[in-house]
Amino acid sequence: MQLFSTHRFQNYVQFIKNLGEMGYDAVEGYPANFEDRHNIRAALDGAGMTMPTVHMGLPMLEDEFDTALGICRDLGVKTIYVPGYDTSKFKTVADWSAFARRLGEVGKRVQDAGFGYGWHNHTDEFKRLEDGRYIMEVLLDEAPNIEWQADIAWVDKGGADPLELTGKYSNRVTALHFRELTQHSESAGPLGRLLDWDAYFAPERNSKIKLIVVEHEAQPTAESLYRFAKELADTYKTIKTKS
């Protein structure tokens, strides 16, 4: 579960405890968890959980490298995903290729320090550039060392086919991210997309996926957030039992 799901309530320690009781074995962190990381880590240890991945901004990795990696070590993080950047000035393949190389250079430093490293997409990466490629394709093609945490809802909302694109880059996708965008979605939502489990993990896709991340985007009430978390946990258990 991405801890951003409960940022409206700021009850991260209690949320971790409750997730552990539901059967979750891990959470994904983000910058709001950094300052209180020692209490967060204690809560994870107490619940028998881990934080294998975290979202961390590119500026922090570039400007405060040692501090950034120290935070990750304190939390037990194994892989860092950059969750976007202000790319409003990037218009062409050349612009995005240069940015991809920048991502790759930072990634090499992170990887040399013993961490995994990649990009978490939103919707803008699925605009097409003048050579016909999606921006996301340019990032992956021009920075061959970075991983991709594929946010399935944003791929779909951006206009691309999640199964097709994650299949094309199945050797780069190391995490799938399923999010709920509204409280009363008319779409399949993350529960429905989780039912595509067999398709995402088909043997021919040569899957390198290490984890599934879920998130509630819609700022629910605390009660609806906990219902969402429990329903997803139960769905996952059912899928795993059948697989």
PDB file of all heavy atoms in Angstrom, residues 189-207:
ATOM      1  N   GLY A 189     -11.609   0.020 -12.004  1.00  0.00           N
ATOM      2  CA  GLY A 189     -10.858   0.347 -10.806  1.00  0.00           C
ATOM      3  C   GLY A 189      -9.775  -0.680 -10.523  1.00  0.00           C
ATOM      4  O   GLY A 189      -9.563  -1.628 -11.286  1.00  0.00           O
ATOM      5  N   PRO A 190      -9.047  -0.518  -9.436  1.00  0.00           N
ATOM      6  CA  PRO A 190      -7.939  -1.426  -9.153  1.00  0.00           C
ATOM      7  C   PRO A 190      -8.377  -2.862  -8.915  1.00  0.00           C
ATOM      8  O   PRO A 190      -7.668  -3.801  -9.264  1.00  0.00           O
ATOM      9  CB  PRO A 190      -7.289  -0.824  -7.907  1.00  0.00           C
ATOM     10  CG  PRO A 190      -8.357   0.003  -7.274  1.00  0.00           C
ATOM     11  CD  PRO A 190      -9.180   0.522  -8.406  1.00  0.00           C
ATOM     12  N   LEU A 191      -9.553  -3.056  -8.334  1.00  0.00           N
ATOM     13  CA  LEU A 191     -10.016  -4.426  -8.115  1.00  0.00           C
ATOM     14  C   LEU A 191     -10.192  -5.137  -9.443  1.00  0.00           C
ATOM     15  O   LEU A 191      -9.775  -6.274  -9.620  1.00  0.00           O
ATOM     16  CB  LEU A 191     -11.336  -4.417  -7.334  1.00  0.00           C
ATOM     17  CG  LEU A 191     -11.230  -4.161  -5.837  1.00  0.00           C
ATOM     18  CD1 LEU A 191     -12.607  -3.952  -5.238  1.00  0.00           C
ATOM     19  CD2 LEU A 191     -10.538  -5.323  -5.144  1.00  0.00           C
ATOM     20  N   GLY A 192     -10.826  -4.443 -10.386  1.00  0.00           N
ATOM     21  CA  GLY A 192     -11.023  -5.035 -11.701  1.00  0.00           C
ATOM     22  C   GLY A 192      -9.708  -5.299 -12.410  1.00  0.00           C
ATOM     23  O   GLY A 192      -9.512  -6.344 -13.030  1.00  0.00           O
ATOM     24  N   ARG A 193      -8.792  -4.356 -12.297  1.00  0.00           N
ATOM     25  CA  ARG A 193      -7.515  -4.528 -12.990  1.00  0.00           C
ATOM     26  C   ARG A 193      -6.685  -5.638 -12.346  1.00  0.00           C
ATOM     27  O   ARG A 193      -5.920  -6.322 -13.030  1.00  0.00           O
ATOM     28  CB  ARG A 193      -6.740  -3.215 -13.027  1.00  0.00           C
ATOM     29  CG  ARG A 193      -7.412  -2.183 -13.924  1.00  0.00           C
ATOM     30  CD  ARG A 193      -6.449  -1.090 -14.326  1.00  0.00           C
ATOM     31  NE  ARG A 193      -7.097  -0.129 -15.204  1.00  0.00           N
ATOM     32  CZ  ARG A 193      -7.270  -0.298 -16.509  1.00  0.00           C
ATOM     33  NH1 ARG A 193      -6.859  -1.413 -17.083  1.00  0.00           N
ATOM     34  NH2 ARG A 193      -7.862   0.627 -17.230  1.00  0.00           N
ATOM     35  N   LEU A 194      -6.823  -5.807 -11.050  1.00  0.00           N
ATOM     36  CA  LEU A 194      -6.114  -6.915 -10.416  1.00  0.00           C
ATOM     37  C   LEU A 194      -6.587  -8.264 -10.971  1.00  0.00           C
ATOM     38  O   LEU A 194      -5.851  -9.244 -10.950  1.00  0.00           O
ATOM     39  CB  LEU A 194      -6.311  -6.884  -8.897  1.00  0.00           C
ATOM     40  CG  LEU A 194      -5.324  -6.039  -8.099  1.00  0.00           C
ATOM     41  CD1 LEU A 194      -5.701  -6.048  -6.623  1.00  0.00           C
ATOM     42  CD2 LEU A 194      -3.902  -6.527  -8.266  1.00  0.00           C
ATOM     43  N   LEU A 195      -7.803  -8.283 -11.483  1.00  0.00           N
ATOM     44  CA  LEU A 195      -8.314  -9.527 -12.056  1.00  0.00           C
ATOM     45  C   LEU A 195      -7.617  -9.854 -13.377  1.00  0.00           C
ATOM     46  O   LEU A 195      -7.789 -10.950 -13.918  1.00  0.00           O
ATOM     47  CB  LEU A 195      -9.831  -9.444 -12.240  1.00  0.00           C
ATOM     48  CG  LEU A 195     -10.613  -9.266 -10.938  1.00  0.00           C
ATOM     49  CD1 LEU A 195     -12.109  -9.182 -11.221  1.00  0.00           C
ATOM     50  CD2 LEU A 195     -10.333 -10.393  -9.956  1.00  0.00           C
ATOM     51  N   ASP A 196      -6.838  -8.897 -13.926  1.00  0.00           N
ATOM     52  CA  ASP A 196      -6.008  -9.160 -15.096  1.00  0.00           C
ATOM     53  C   ASP A 196      -4.672  -9.789 -14.703  1.00  0.00           C
ATOM     54  O   ASP A 196      -3.732  -9.813 -15.494  1.00  0.00           O
ATOM     55  CB  ASP A 196      -5.729  -7.855 -15.865  1.00  0.00           C
ATOM     56  CG  ASP A 196      -6.944  -7.371 -16.630  1.00  0.00           C
ATOM     57  OD1 ASP A 196      -7.767  -8.221 -17.032  1.00  0.00           O
ATOM     58  OD2 ASP A 196      -7.075  -6.155 -16.832  1.00  0.00           O
ATOM     59  N   TRP A 197      -4.600 -10.270 -13.465  1.00  0.00           N
ATOM     60  CA  TRP A 197      -3.367 -10.828 -12.920  1.00  0.00           C
ATOM     61  C   TRP A 197      -2.690 -11.785 -13.899  1.00  0.00           C
ATOM     62  O   TRP A 197      -1.500 -11.670 -14.181  1.00  0.00           O
ATOM     63  CB  TRP A 197      -3.709 -11.559 -11.618  1.00  0.00           C
ATOM     64  CG  TRP A 197      -2.580 -12.243 -10.944  1.00  0.00           C
ATOM     65  CD1 TRP A 197      -2.121 -13.502 -11.175  1.00  0.00           C
ATOM     66  CD2 TRP A 197      -1.760 -11.699  -9.906  1.00  0.00           C
ATOM     67  NE1 TRP A 197      -1.067 -13.792 -10.337  1.00  0.00           N
ATOM     68  CE2 TRP A 197      -0.826 -12.702  -9.553  1.00  0.00           C
ATOM     69  CE3 TRP A 197      -1.721 -10.480  -9.233  1.00  0.00           C
ATOM     70  CZ2 TRP A 197       0.126 -12.513  -8.571  1.00  0.00           C
ATOM     71  CZ3 TRP A 197      -0.764 -10.307  -8.254  1.00  0.00           C
ATOM     72  CH2 TRP A 197       0.145 -11.296  -7.932  1.00  0.00           C
ATOM     73  N   ASP A 198      -3.441 -12.748 -14.424  1.00  0.00           N
ATOM     74  CA  ASP A 198      -2.849 -13.758 -15.300  1.00  0.00           C
ATOM     75  C   ASP A 198      -2.237 -13.123 -16.539  1.00  0.00           C
ATOM     76  O   ASP A 198      -1.205 -13.580 -17.035  1.00  0.00           O
ATOM     77  CB  ASP A 198      -3.902 -14.786 -15.715  1.00  0.00           C
ATOM     78  CG  ASP A 198      -4.317 -15.687 -14.564  1.00  0.00           C
ATOM     79  OD1 ASP A 198      -3.560 -15.758 -13.575  1.00  0.00           O
ATOM     80  OD2 ASP A 198      -5.390 -16.297 -14.644  1.00  0.00           O
ATOM     81  N   ALA A 199      -2.881 -12.069 -17.048  1.00  0.00           N
ATOM     82  CA  ALA A 199      -2.351 -11.416 -18.245  1.00  0.00           C
ATOM     83  C   ALA A 199      -1.039 -10.693 -17.946  1.00  0.00           C
ATOM     84  O   ALA A 199      -0.073 -10.779 -18.707  1.00  0.00           O
ATOM     85  CB  ALA A 199      -3.379 -10.433 -18.802  1.00  0.00           C
ATOM     86  N   TYR A 200      -0.999  -9.971 -16.838  1.00  0.00           N
ATOM     87  CA  TYR A 200       0.220  -9.230 -16.497  1.00  0.00           C
ATOM     88  C   TYR A 200       1.386 -10.160 -16.179  1.00  0.00           C
ATOM     89  O   TYR A 200       2.546  -9.800 -16.379  1.00  0.00           O
ATOM     90  CB  TYR A 200      -0.029  -8.302 -15.309  1.00  0.00           C
ATOM     91  CG  TYR A 200      -0.767  -7.031 -15.674  1.00  0.00           C
ATOM     92  CD1 TYR A 200      -2.074  -6.821 -15.275  1.00  0.00           C
ATOM     93  CD2 TYR A 200      -0.152  -6.039 -16.434  1.00  0.00           C
ATOM     94  CE1 TYR A 200      -2.762  -5.656 -15.618  1.00  0.00           C
ATOM     95  CE2 TYR A 200      -0.816  -4.872 -16.779  1.00  0.00           C
ATOM     96  CZ  TYR A 200      -2.123  -4.694 -16.371  1.00  0.00           C
ATOM     97  OH  TYR A 200      -2.786  -3.545 -16.722  1.00  0.00           O
ATOM     98  N   PHE A 201       1.088 -11.337 -15.662  1.00  0.00           N
ATOM     99  CA  PHE A 201       2.144 -12.253 -15.233  1.00  0.00           C
ATOM    100  C   PHE A 201       2.283 -13.454 -16.160  1.00  0.00           C
ATOM    101  O   PHE A 201       2.856 -14.472 -15.774  1.00  0.00           O
ATOM    102  CB  PHE A 201       1.898 -12.713 -13.800  1.00  0.00           C
ATOM    103  CG  PHE A 201       2.180 -11.645 -12.788  1.00  0.00           C
ATOM    104  CD1 PHE A 201       1.200 -10.745 -12.410  1.00  0.00           C
ATOM    105  CD2 PHE A 201       3.443 -11.512 -12.237  1.00  0.00           C
ATOM    106  CE1 PHE A 201       1.457  -9.743 -11.492  1.00  0.00           C
ATOM    107  CE2 PHE A 201       3.712 -10.507 -11.317  1.00  0.00           C
ATOM    108  CZ  PHE A 201       2.723  -9.628 -10.940  1.00  0.00           C
ATOM    109  N   ALA A 202       1.783 -13.337 -17.378  1.00  0.00           N
ATOM    110  CA  ALA A 202       1.912 -14.433 -18.330  1.00  0.00           C
ATOM    111  C   ALA A 202       3.395 -14.763 -18.540  1.00  0.00           C
ATOM    112  O   ALA A 202       4.222 -13.861 -18.648  1.00  0.00           O
ATOM    113  CB  ALA A 202       1.268 -14.048 -19.663  1.00  0.00           C
ATOM    114  N   PRO A 203       3.753 -16.054 -18.605  1.00  0.00           N
ATOM    115  CA  PRO A 203       5.167 -16.442 -18.710  1.00  0.00           C
ATOM    116  C   PRO A 203       5.890 -15.800 -19.884  1.00  0.00           C
ATOM    117  O   PRO A 203       7.067 -15.446 -19.781  1.00  0.00           O
ATOM    118  CB  PRO A 203       5.095 -17.963 -18.858  1.00  0.00           C
ATOM    119  CG  PRO A 203       3.807 -18.344 -18.214  1.00  0.00           C
ATOM    120  CD  PRO A 203       2.858 -17.210 -18.503  1.00  0.00           C
ATOM    121  N   GLU A 204       5.192 -15.619 -21.008  1.00  0.00           N
ATOM    122  CA  GLU A 204       5.858 -15.090 -22.192  1.00  0.00           C
ATOM    123  C   GLU A 204       6.261 -13.615 -22.043  1.00  0.00           C
ATOM    124  O   GLU A 204       7.037 -13.090 -22.840  1.00  0.00           O
ATOM    125  CB  GLU A 204       4.964 -15.244 -23.436  1.00  0.00           C
ATOM    126  CG  GLU A 204       3.647 -14.482 -23.379  1.00  0.00           C
ATOM    127  CD  GLU A 204       2.509 -15.296 -22.772  1.00  0.00           C
ATOM    128  OE1 GLU A 204       2.807 -16.303 -22.082  1.00  0.00           O
ATOM    129  OE2 GLU A 204       1.346 -14.924 -22.998  1.00  0.00           O
ATOM    130  N   ARG A 205       5.732 -12.957 -20.990  1.00  0.00           N
ATOM    131  CA  ARG A 205       6.103 -11.557 -20.772  1.00  0.00           C
ATOM    132  C   ARG A 205       7.449 -11.414 -20.063  1.00  0.00           C
ATOM    133  O   ARG A 205       7.938 -10.300 -19.890  1.00  0.00           O
ATOM    134  CB  ARG A 205       5.008 -10.856 -19.956  1.00  0.00           C
ATOM    135  CG  ARG A 205       3.713 -10.664 -20.727  1.00  0.00           C
ATOM    136  CD  ARG A 205       2.584 -10.265 -19.803  1.00  0.00           C
ATOM    137  NE  ARG A 205       2.759  -8.955 -19.210  1.00  0.00           N
ATOM    138  CZ  ARG A 205       2.284  -7.822 -19.715  1.00  0.00           C
ATOM    139  NH1 ARG A 205       1.606  -7.848 -20.845  1.00  0.00           N
ATOM    140  NH2 ARG A 205       2.444  -6.677 -19.099  1.00  0.00           N
ATOM    141  N   ASN A 206       8.043 -12.539 -19.656  1.00  0.00           N
ATOM    142  CA  ASN A 206       9.359 -12.501 -19.000  1.00  0.00           C
ATOM    143  C   ASN A 206       9.342 -11.497 -17.849  1.00  0.00           C
ATOM    144  O   ASN A 206      10.192 -10.610 -17.742  1.00  0.00           O
ATOM    145  CB  ASN A 206      10.443 -12.131 -20.022  1.00  0.00           C
ATOM    146  CG  ASN A 206      11.839 -12.272 -19.448  1.00  0.00           C
ATOM    147  OD1 ASN A 206      12.066 -13.084 -18.549  1.00  0.00           O
ATOM    148  ND2 ASN A 206      12.779 -11.484 -19.945  1.00  0.00           N
ATOM    149  N   SER A 207       8.341 -11.639 -17.002  1.00  0.00           N
ATOM    150  CA  SER A 207       8.081 -10.640 -15.968  1.00  0.00           C
ATOM    151  C   SER A 207       9.218 -10.501 -14.967  1.00  0.00           C
ATOM    152  O   SER A 207       9.772 -11.481 -14.476  1.00  0.00           O
ATOM    153  CB  SER A 207       6.794 -11.007 -15.215  1.00  0.00           C
ATOM    154  OG  SER A 207       6.602 -10.118 -14.138  1.00  0.00           O
TER     155      SER A 207
END
